[in-house]
């Protein structure tokens, strides 16, 4: 009952429309994202260099190319997660996409 009441209240009084302003990152967030991507790119390039030199530490049960793929997937996943976390923290609490992602109704911080 409470969920139904809350949904009706939000629907009638607040609304959940989404505009371009709700999903456009600020210049400071764009700069932060660029820094995170550049940092991750440097780590990825270092791993690729280690692979080409034959010095990449192998993961258990993996050959060199599989180990490189695993390392790169980890780096890219960290970049994506960090960017999503920073974007969520930069949005105001009243931002409709943030509310929907946090409550689990639509999307996530990764989107």
């Amino acid at each position: 009952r409470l969920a139904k009441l809350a949904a009706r209240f939000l629907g009638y009084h607040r609304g959940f429309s989404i505009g371009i302003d709700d999903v456009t990152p600020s210049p400071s967030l764009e700069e932060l994202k660029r820094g995170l991507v550049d940092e991750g790119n440097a780590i990825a390039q270092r791993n690729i260099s280690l692979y080409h030199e034959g010095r990449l530490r192998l993961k258990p049960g993996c050959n060199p190319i599989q180990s490189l793929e695993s390392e790169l997937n980890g780096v890219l996943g960290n970049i994506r997660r960090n960017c999503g976390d920073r974007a969520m923290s930069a949005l105001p609490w009243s931002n409709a996409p943030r509310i929907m992602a946090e409550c689990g109704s639509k999307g996530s911080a990764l989107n």
Side-chain angles (χ1 to χ4, degrees):
R1 288 184 179 176
L2 182 60
K4 192 174 188 179
L5 175 66
R8 285 199 176 142
F9 174 80
L10 289 172
Y12 293 134
H13 299 290
R14 171 87 171 91
F16 262 70
S17 62
I18 297 175
I20 192 70
D21 291 339
D22 292 324
V23 294
T24 303
S26 67
S28 62
L29 184 59
E30 283 284 343
E31 186 177 325
L32 179 67
K33 181 186 77 167
R34 174 60 33 215
L36 290 170
V37 169
D38 289 345
E39 181 182 313
N41 190 29
I43 295 169
Q45 288 300 324
R46 188 171 42 240
N47 285 331
I48 291 169
S49 294
L50 289 173
Y51 167 76
H52 286 300
E53 295 168 5
R55 297 186 312 136
L56 182 67
R57 198 162 124 202
L58 298 180
K59 301 268 185 185
C62 295
N63 63 28
I65 194 71
Q66 291 170 332
S67 297
L68 176 62
E69 180 182 13
S70 175
E71 288 290 331
L72 294 179
N73 281 334
V75 169
L76 294 174
N78 285 337
I79 293 170
R80 196 171 101 175
R81 187 181 63 252
N82 289 339
C83 286
D85 291 344
R86 299 288 174 92
M88 291 294 279
S89 66
L91 293 172
W93 67 269
S94 60
N95 183 278
R98 177 182 179 172
I99 293 169
M100 289 188 284
E102 284 184 355
C103 74
S105 68
K106 296 282 182 198
S108 68
L110 295 179
N111 297 19

